[in-house]
Each structure stands twice: as structure tokens, then as C-alpha cells.
Amino acid sequence: MTLARAAIGVILFTASADASGAGRASFEDLVANLKSPTVKTRLEAAQELGKSRRREAVTPLAAALRAEPEAKVRLEVVRALRELRNLDAVPALVAAMSDPEAEVREEALGSIVEVYSERERSGAVGRFLELFSDEYEKPTPPLFTTVDPSVFRALAQLLRDERKELRQGAAYAAGILDGRSIAGDLVAVLPDVEPGVRGAAATAIGKVGTSADGQKLIPLLSDESASVRNRALAAIGALRVREAGPALREMYEANRRKEQGVKVLESLSRVADPAQADLFREVVRESDPERKRIAVEGLARVSDASMLPAFKKDFQRERGDDLRLAYAFAIARLGDRDFLDTLVLGLPSSSAGKRVQGYLLELGPGILTDLYPYLNDQDAEIRAQLCDIIAAMGNASSLSVLEPLVNDPSPKVVDRANRAIERLRKPRS
């Protein structure tokens, strides 16, 4: 009796397993299902092909996207193409950016950014683009990937879309993906009726525009939207638009005792207008450490080597870490490398590390040979961050100092060194 029950159990288990296997469509079946007369079947096939992460799924999904009459299925096909994370899907996604359905266009826009940036969104497409756009001052595609020109043509078209969300998203995407070729299109939408679009365009111009493009942002300093004004401030500072000096000075005087005054002073410091040196000297004597730091940076950008003795004396007397870093930057910027050690050792700082990285990048390729010895520093975070800095402003001669780090004991350093090497081997555009 026991043996009979066991035999029955085996038979039932085998039948169940066969039924389960039969319920799972093969890759070929999923491809065939994309042409099913049943909408639900086509929808589910697209979903499963996306989950498969198989490169060969790109071609049938792209074909389905062209032929699909139902917007909700086209939307699912775009999502599937995004899930495949393959650059072969770019032409289909670009085509979807001109889809008759706004939701499909928006999904394609977000998918293009995700495919190139290798980042996954959390939440809505628009929020993802806004957060990712603000995260970095410069464009952020992978170091070894070139964005196809058709993407920028599609983005230029979306900048004129009837939907404000798509115009705004397209502007953010242009900044994220290094859309220098459509900087003129970004400038053209600065008068947009929607403040979100004006602000997004300003942010993107700050990433991919020129100083001449940045001059077109000066009128936005008096925009009715506080968000637009702040984005224009940041972009003008990033592009070092010296012509904005007088307008920024006027804006600072009107907001001197307000929190907004700090943002204006930051932008004014970065544009390096020599006519504002008197203001920086005045603010350096104030007690507020943040304003004082910004003023020191501003003075460093408009002064000559005659200021070195004063900066060195103030560095030695200063106890605050942030101000000491600012003085070290000023001293290095005026040509003295003796205090560079202070800057490099500030890279791991959770509060000031990002600013220190900015200091070093601003000092430019001329300091590379001074930075190379620190690739042997005992702090792995310093070694890792220096790989990023060298990748940004190094050249072929930097490869020999980076290559030993692919055997570094720190996995983080190994990864950063490898990325830096790949970037430096790629011809600069």
C-alpha cells in the first residue's frame, strides 16, 4: 500500500511539473505573442521579454513598437526596451519619443536617459529627471559611451512639445546627456510660459552651454519664479559668465541680509568679475563663516600673486576647516602648491569633499603632476576620488600612473581606476 501511494505521488508530481513547464512560454512563443490578435497577450509578451534581459529581444520589440495600434501596449514595449538595458534599443526608443501618445513619449524620454546613464529611476519619470539633473554640475553619461546624435534631434523636438512636462523633461535630459549640439534649442525655450521649463533649460545650459549661452540667462535673475532665479544663478556661476557681474551685485545688495544673498554671492564669486573685488574684501571681514568662505574663493579668482602673503597668513590663523580649505584653494590658484596637501586630505570629508573636488578641478591640468603622488596615499577614499579627478582632466600620460591601481586592494579604487583608464583611452570630443 505504501509503495502504491509513493508511485501515485511521483506520477502526480511529474504531471504537475510538466503542466508548470507548459505554462511558461518560450522566448520564441513570446516573440510570436507580440503579434497576437489579443491585446492582453501582446501586453504580457512585452512584459516578459523585458524581464528576459535578452539582447535578441530588441529586434522583435522594436518591430512590435512600429506596428502596435494600442497605446498601452506601445507603452509596455517601451518599458521592456528600457529593461533590456541595451544600446541596440536606442533607435526604437528615439522613434517612441515622437509617439502620438504623450505617456509613451514621456516613458521613452526617461528610458533613453536610463539606458545611457545606467541609472534606475525611483518614482515618476519627471521626478527622476529632475533629481538626476540636479545631482551633478556636468553631464553624466557613462565615461565610455557616446550618445547617438538622433537622441539630441529627438530632444530638440520634445523641447517644443505641447506638454509642459515633456518640454521640461527634454531640457533636463539634454543636460544629463551632454547635449551641447542643441544648446541653441535650450536657449530658445528660455522664454517659455512655464517656469518649470525655463528652470530646466537654465540648468541644462549650465551643464552644456558656453559663456555666451550663459549671457542669455541674465534676464532670468529677475524672473517671477524663485526656482527659476536660483537655477539661473547656479548656471551663471557654473559657466563663469563675467558679464553677469553687475546684475549679480545689484541682486546681492537687495538680498544682502537674506538667505538668498548667500546664493547670489556664491554665483558672484564664481563668475570672477574683477569689479567685485571690493565686495569680496568687505565680506571677508564679516563674521559669517559661509559668506566669508565664498568671499575668499571670489578673491582668489580675481587676485594676482601679490595676495599670496595675506592668504598664507590668514590660512595659518584660521581654525575653521571650511575656511582653511578655501584659503588653501586660493593659495594654490595663485600658483603656490605648498598647501595643496590640505586640499587633497579634505577629499574624504562628508561635508566638504565635493567642494574640494571642485577646487581641484578648477585648478586644472597644471596640478596633475602634484596629484599623482597621492595615488599612493593610505586612504582608499583619496585614491578613489583622485582617479575621478584625473579622469576628468588627465591625458594619455596619466595612464601610466593609473594602471597600477587596477591591482589596488580596495575594490572601489580598482573600479574607479578602471573607469578612468577607459575614459582617458577614448578620444576626447
Side-chain angles (χ1 to χ4, degrees):
M1 192 71 173
T2 302
L3 290 174
R5 286 176 180 169
I8 292 171
V10 170
I11 292 170
L12 290 175
F13 176 81
T14 303
S16 174
D18 290 344
S20 175
R24 289 194 300 270
S26 67
F27 179 81
E28 291 74 17
D29 289 338
L30 291 174
V31 171
N33 285 347
L34 288 174
K35 300 178 182 179
S36 170
T38 306
V39 171
K40 183 180 178 182
T41 301
R42 300 199 302 273
L43 197 69
E44 291 175 348
Q47 291 173 341
E48 292 303 315
L49 285 170
K51 292 176 184 177
S52 75
R53 293 293 182 99
R54 292 177 63 165
R55 180 178 182 177
E56 57 265 38
V58 171
T59 299
L61 284 169
L65 188 62
R66 292 191 296 270
E68 179 55 56
E70 292 288 337
K72 62 182 179 181
V73 179
R74 295 199 302 276
L75 181 64
E76 204 57 54
V77 171
V78 168
R79 289 171 176 162
L81 288 168
R82 181 192 76 218
E83 289 300 312
L84 294 178
R85 287 292 192 274
N86 194 290
L87 292 176
D88 291 344
V90 167
L93 292 173
V94 167
M97 288 167 71
S98 59
D99 192 275
E101 189 67 32
E103 189 176 3
V104 177
R105 297 197 299 275
E106 183 179 23
E107 190 66 35
L109 171 62
S111 297
I112 279 285
V113 172
E114 288 186 63
V115 167
Y116 276 110
S117 66
E118 298 185 350
R119 296 284 295 273
E120 293 188 9
R121 78 183 72 156
S122 57
V125 173
R127 187 63 176 157
F128 162 78
L129 290 170
E130 183 174 356
L131 288 173
F132 196 9
S133 180
D134 289 345
E135 188 175 355
Y136 303 99
E137 188 171 283
K138 295 299 179 184
T140 52
L143 300 177
F144 47 83
T145 301
T146 299
V147 179
D148 191 275
S150 65
V151 172
F152 298 123
R153 291 193 291 270
L155 289 177
Q157 181 179 333
L158 284 181
L159 286 171
R160 301 185 292 273
D161 197 274
E162 62 183 6
R163 291 279 297 271
K164 65 179 181 181
E165 296 85 0
L166 281 162
R167 299 197 302 276
Q168 180 173 326
Y172 282 137
I176 294 167
L177 299 177
D178 198 7
R180 283 173 284 178
S181 62
I182 58 170
D185 297 276
L186 290 166
V187 170
V189 300
L190 288 177
D192 196 284
V193 295
E194 293 293 335
V197 178
R198 298 196 300 274
T203 293
I205 289 169
K207 294 172 183 287
V208 305
T210 63
S211 181
D213 296 324
Q215 292 180 44
K216 306 295 177 56
L217 298 172
I218 296 175
L220 295 187
L221 294 175
S222 56
D223 195 273
E224 62 184 11
S225 165
S227 175
V228 174
R229 294 196 299 272
N230 287 336
R231 288 180 178 278
L233 278 172
I236 285 169
L239 293 174
R240 311 287 199 264
V241 185
R242 184 174 295 182
E243 293 81 0
L248 290 170
R249 177 67 174 266
E250 182 179 350
M251 192 177 183
Y252 179 73
E253 296 297 352
N255 295 274
R256 182 183 280 260
R257 298 305 171 194
K258 302 175 184 177
E259 183 62 30
Q260 179 72 1
V262 176
K263 295 178 181 178
V264 180
L265 187 64
E266 180 81 45
S267 184
L268 193 56
S269 167
R270 300 189 72 187
V271 303
D273 178 12
Q276 312 308 323
D278 65 314
L279 175 63
F280 298 140
R281 293 191 187 94
E282 177 186 339
V283 177
V284 162
R285 295 193 293 270
E286 294 182 7
S287 58
D288 182 273
E290 184 175 17
R291 291 173 189 261
K292 186 172 181 178
R293 170 187 62 77
I294 295 169
V296 170
E297 294 168 0
L299 266 182
R301 295 176 180 122
V302 300
S303 300
D304 56 33
S306 65
M307 280 290 295
L308 274 173
F311 281 143
K312 288 182 177 181
K313 182 176 70 174
D314 290 337
F315 172 88
Q316 292 168 340
R317 293 180 175 182
E318 182 56 54
R319 294 183 179 180
D321 289 341
D322 282 353
L323 276 165
R324 285 175 63 83
L325 288 170
Y327 280 120
F329 162 69
I331 293 165
R333 200 177 193 285
L334 295 185
D336 191 320
R337 303 289 190 257
D338 289 347
F339 294 80
L340 193 62
D341 192 69
T342 299
L343 292 179
V344 175
L345 296 182
L347 282 170
S349 169
S350 58
S351 60
K354 186 175 181 181
R355 187 168 69 254
V356 170
Q357 190 176 81
Y359 286 156
L360 294 173
L361 289 171
E362 185 174 342
L363 290 173
I367 66 164
L368 280 172
T369 55
D370 297 290
L371 294 179
Y372 291 157
Y374 290 98
L375 290 172
N376 297 313
D377 193 272
Q378 62 182 0
D379 190 323
E381 185 63 27
I382 288 176
R383 301 196 302 276
Q385 290 207 39
L386 284 176
C387 288
D388 293 343
I389 291 169
I390 294 169
M393 61 183 184
N395 50 49
S397 66
S398 306
L399 291 172
S400 61
V401 298
L402 289 169
E403 286 166 349
L405 294 180
V406 297
N407 297 312
D408 194 273
S410 165
K412 176 189 284 190
V413 175
V414 170
D415 289 342
R416 300 282 188 87
N418 181 63
R419 285 167 48 193
I421 290 168
E422 289 299 316
R423 177 169 183 173
L424 292 175
R425 282 176 176 166
K426 174 188 171 185
R428 296 295 175 96
S429 58

